[in-house]
Amino acid sequence: MAINPTQTDANPSTQSQSLTMMRLMQNNLVRALLAKSIITKEHLDRADTLMQAEKYSLVKALLTLNISANEIYKVTQELSNAPRFDMRAFDASTKLPDFLTTEEMEKKLVFPLRLRNGILYVAVADPFDARMLETLRFKSRAIIEPILVAPSQLVAQFQSQGGVNREKLQSLFNQMEKEKPAEQESETAVTFDLLSEADSSPIVRFINGVLADAITRGVSDLHFEPYEHSYRIRFRIDGVLQEVYSPPEAFRDQIAARIKVMSQLDITEKRVPQDGRIKVSLKGKIIDFRISVCPTLWGEKVVMRILDSSAANLNIEILGFTDIQKKNIFDAIAKPQGMILVTGPTGSGKTVTLYTCLGILNKPTTNISTAEDPVEINLEGINQVPVNPRVGLDFAAALKSFLRQDPDIIMVGEIRDLETADIAIKAAQTGHLVLSTLHTNSAPETLTRLINMGVETFNIASTVHLIIAQRLGRRLCSYCKEPVRIDPRTLEGLGFTSMQLTGEIFGPVGCDMCNKGYKGRVGIYEVMPISDTMERMILDKASAVDIADQAELEGVDSIRKSAIKAVVAGVTSIDELLRVTTD
């Protein structure tokens, strides 16, 4: 049986968290930020949770919550007498002491600069973090001299490490121009080292460089696109496609062939679509790519999706849910049976939301099985099944098998047809908690979609407990965003209330730390619990509009209202609101 994660009475972790909060309130930086209203008690509570779960430092946690790095630095400068340093003057070739791993330094926002005469000079964002300084002193056996550095410069320092030399890729273009395209040889290697220079072929090194560049930039998808007189490579960064490379068009077939060889596809077959996977290694880190090859008028288009398990943050505090939305989710997943549905367009983060719920529910006493197409993130302790319709293992077949496997919780990657929906609902009615996704535009439309599939209304009303509709918008860069002036009448037309019109609206600028004013993405959600009134409306086959009106009466924020709140909070922009939401 699932355990309610909100039950915290006499919980040791809660006691530990309260002790951490007490220690935070003694931090001079925290007191100053609260006094200047740069952060609130709610920010501090959420930062405390991140520090506990992710082992972040205070400043790293606040930056994750979109608190302005410049404001934090200004306050720190006022409080601290520590010497200042500009990281842009740091010599990257300097041999550094390795008392902390790169991951630890990035999470704590510390960077050793030099060990000299028994003194370790350390770049820090928070010179008041006594525990971190004491840890460094213990590991180095040296006197610690903290040097104050702007948080934005420390973040940039870690992002620059392990970067890809794009000038080198351009030189490969030139080499490829000079060489005649050659026939590709078949290989059977399972994992490809992207930094290996063993193969002297420019095409191999070029593809490796593009993949390494994509991983470094945090790309979600790569598009290799042939046209009559050109060839382009585009990256999807923060949900938006951008052209990044234009290699010689004469090599379009070789590029496609190389990727097909890596994914063990048939390089001689160019008439039908093919799907495959690639496993690559970058500095010891293993990353999977999902490959789709499709014939077009001028050659084969290749789309690669990066399935980087380590990059997916499954902490519910970071996903962007409000406190009320989190409570509704916790209440729903704590129930021993029923159905939770997540809906939204492709690439809206549905899988991460489902995995986050499974991560909360994943206990040694719980049997969890999932059917996915494909398995995108490997979750320890959960039985994950990749569906394969070519051999008869579709979602419906996997579900039937699960019911004979003594499950407590079942996740179905997507409900696509009536057969899968019926089996999932029967599972939800017989003591199992079922999580799944559909493709609809809003939470109320999900109910009418099930009815249109042919699911009986009494089955929907009795089993569906919660529906989450979501989108992903680009997050404004906290280092360079600035207020913008927008006509109040325009904002009113978009749905802003009179109270929301009094706040500042921010827009993108662009700096070295971001991509045209944006950095990362933020979830925008509609979390709709199914109330008793809604159950009766479902039985009466009410329209999606009527159910949406009832949800609004019950305090459920629509996608548009959630996006407006994100704009008012300075998290995203009006342009993103218009891009990802509708009226």
Side-chain angles (χ1 to χ4, degrees):
M1 180 179 294
I3 300 174
N4 189 340
T6 61
Q7 294 175 348
T8 56
D9 294 342
N11 190 327
S13 64
T14 305
Q15 295 174 8
S16 172
Q17 190 173 25
S18 62
L19 290 174
T20 307
M21 181 62 73
M22 291 174 60
R23 189 171 66 250
L24 281 177
M25 293 303 297
Q26 297 171 358
N27 185 302
N28 290 338
L29 178 58
V30 169
R31 292 178 176 178
L33 292 172
L34 287 170
K36 292 177 179 289
S37 299
I38 295 172
I39 63 172
T40 63
K41 286 290 182 65
E42 181 183 358
H43 286 132
L44 203 55
D45 287 337
R46 295 172 66 189
D48 182 23
T49 302
L50 284 174
M51 293 168 71
Q52 293 285 329
E54 304 293 336
K55 308 301 181 186
Y56 285 167
S57 67
L58 169 67
V59 175
K60 175 71 173 180
L62 292 178
L63 293 180
T64 304
L65 296 175
N66 209 37
I67 304 300
S68 169
N70 291 334
E71 294 290 340
I72 294 174
Y73 186 50
K74 287 178 185 177
V75 173
T76 310
Q77 284 181 305
E78 294 172 3
L79 294 176
S80 174
N81 294 321
R84 276 66 157 165
F85 181 64
D86 189 335
M87 285 296 290
R88 290 172 293 187
F90 179 69
D91 184 0
S93 64
T94 304
K95 180 174 175 56
L96 299 174
D98 56 355
F99 302 118
L100 296 176
T101 66
T102 302
E103 182 181 11
E104 288 173 325
M105 291 191 292
E106 188 171 2
K107 286 186 174 184
K108 301 298 185 184
L109 285 183
V110 299
F111 193 85
L113 298 171
R114 175 184 288 185
L115 178 60
R116 186 174 184 181
N117 298 328
I119 301 175
L120 179 61
Y121 297 90
V122 186
V124 298
D126 181 6
F128 304 104
D129 191 343
R131 295 192 69 180
M132 179 271 295
L133 296 175
E134 178 60 24
T135 299
L136 264 175
R137 187 197 66 77
F138 176 77
K139 290 191 173 185
S140 66
R141 303 296 181 182
I143 299 170
I144 305 301
E145 181 67 32
I147 309 294
L148 182 59
V149 171
S152 59
Q153 291 190 356
L154 282 169
V155 172
Q157 179 66 33
F158 291 118
Q159 289 181 340
S160 66
Q161 293 183 0
V164 174
N165 187 336
R166 296 178 182 105
E167 292 181 1
K168 184 176 179 181
L169 289 181
Q170 184 60 49
S171 70
L172 286 174
F173 287 172
N174 300 333
Q175 283 184 258
M176 291 161 61
E177 288 276 24
K178 296 175 184 177
E179 295 189 11
K180 182 180 178 180
E183 291 295 324
Q184 289 285 337
E185 295 181 1
S186 176
E187 356 181 342
T188 57
V190 176
T191 304
F192 298 88
D193 185 353
L194 297 183
L195 299 183
S196 173
E197 297 287 343
D199 194 319
S200 59
S201 168
I203 191 71
V204 171
R205 285 183 283 131
F206 169 68
I207 295 296
N208 288 353
V210 170
L211 299 188
D213 188 22
I215 294 168
T216 304
R217 293 200 202 188
V219 171
S220 61
D221 301 88
L222 299 81
H223 292 242
F224 296 78
E225 301 171 320
Y227 297 98
E228 183 176 9
H229 301 298
S230 64
Y231 191 93
R232 71 178 179 182
I233 300 174
R234 292 192 291 174
F235 288 172
R236 188 175 294 279
I237 304 174
D238 295 336
V240 177
L241 278 172
Q242 301 174 19
E243 183 172 346
V244 288
Y245 299 118
S246 297
E249 60 183 275
F251 283 80
R252 65 181 68 181
D253 292 336
Q254 251 198 317
I255 290 173
R258 170 60 187 169
I259 296 173
K260 289 167 74 173
V261 165
M262 294 176 74
S263 50
Q264 299 183 336
L265 300 177
D266 185 355
I267 63 174
T268 64
E269 179 56 77
K270 300 181 180 181
R271 300 165 299 174
V272 297
Q274 298 186 65
D275 297 316
R277 291 178 78 112
I278 296 174
K279 190 182 292 290
V280 303
S281 169
L282 181 63
K283 292 195 172 182
K285 182 179 179 181
I286 304 299
I287 297 158
D288 285 325
F289 285 78
R290 188 176 72 201
I291 314 300
S292 173
V293 181
C294 183
T296 68
L297 185 61
W298 304 109
E300 293 177 292
K301 173 175 178 175
V302 180
V303 176
M304 307 175 71
R305 168 157 290 188
I306 299 179
L307 308 177
D308 184 3
S309 301
S310 63
N313 200 316
L314 304 183
N315 189 319
I316 196 168
E317 299 295 336
I318 297 177
L319 296 187
F321 291 104
T322 65
D323 290 339
I324 294 175
Q325 289 173 338
K326 283 188 291 186
K327 181 183 183 302
N328 288 332
I329 292 172
F330 284 141
D331 289 345
I333 64 178
K335 295 179 179 179
Q337 65 184 48
M339 181 178 287
I340 297 170
L341 298 172
V342 183
T343 184
T346 301
S348 61
K350 299 187 296 294
T351 301
V352 171
T353 298
L354 287 175
Y355 282 170
T356 300
C357 292
L358 292 181
I360 296 171
L361 294 166
N362 189 11
K363 304 286 190 300
T365 55
T366 304
N367 179 20
I368 304 177
S369 296
T370 73
E372 306 172 56
D373 183 20
V375 175
E376 296 193 13
I377 300 175
N378 181 30
L379 299 175
E380 188 70 27
I382 292 178
N383 308 294
Q384 297 173 271
V385 176
V387 300
N388 186 354
R390 287 178 294 183
V391 298
L393 181 59
D394 54 15
F395 285 120
L399 264 175
K400 291 176 183 177
S401 176
F402 288 166
L403 294 177
R404 297 189 291 271
Q405 293 270 317
D406 185 31
D408 298 301
I409 299 165
I410 295 171
M411 187 192 94
V412 186
E414 183 182 349
I415 294 178
R416 298 174 178 172
D417 51 47
L418 179 59
E419 182 184 11
T420 305
D422 276 340
I423 299 171
I425 284 176
K426 288 175 183 175
Q429 291 173 331
T430 54
H432 307 96
L433 182 65
V434 179
L435 295 83
S436 189
T437 71
L438 279 88
H439 285 281
T440 59
N441 291 324
S442 67
E445 289 178 41
T446 303
L447 298 169
T448 55
R449 168 71 175 136
L450 289 172
I451 294 173
N452 291 337
M453 275 187 181
V455 180
E456 296 291 345
T457 54
F458 63 86
N459 282 332
I460 299 173
S462 63
T463 57
V464 178
H465 294 322
L466 182 78
I467 303 174
I468 303 171
Q470 64 183 78
R471 304 289 188 276
L472 283 178
R474 289 185 291 174
R475 184 186 293 272
L476 282 169
C477 174
S478 61
Y479 303 108
C480 68
K481 66 180 181 182
E482 64 178 22
V484 295
R485 295 180 61 85
I486 300 177
D487 188 336
R489 289 172 296 182
T490 300
L491 296 178
E492 286 180 357
L494 293 174
F496 283 70
T497 64
S498 56
M499 184 174 294
Q500 289 171 331
L501 292 175
T502 61
E504 279 190 316
I505 305 297
F506 290 85
V509 178
C511 67
D512 293 339
M513 297 296 300
C514 65
N515 180 35
K516 299 180 181 178
Y518 297 97
K519 185 173 179 62
R521 289 194 281 180
V522 59
I524 299 170
Y525 304 96
E526 177 183 19
V527 179
M528 188 178 80
I530 304 301
S531 63
D532 292 341
T533 301
M534 288 185 192
E535 287 184 13
R536 289 191 289 272
M537 294 176 71
I538 294 168
L539 291 172
D540 292 337
K541 296 185 178 180
S543 69
V545 174
D546 292 335
I547 294 173
D549 290 341
Q550 178 61 31
E552 185 176 4
L553 289 175
E554 295 179 10
V556 175
D557 286 336
S558 66
I559 290 284
R560 170 56 68 89
K561 285 189 175 180
S562 293
I564 289 173
K565 288 183 176 180
V567 170
V568 172
V571 176
T572 191
S573 67
I574 290 290
D575 289 340
E576 284 300 285
L577 178 149
L578 295 172
R579 185 177 71 86
V580 302
T581 71
T582 56
D583 293 335

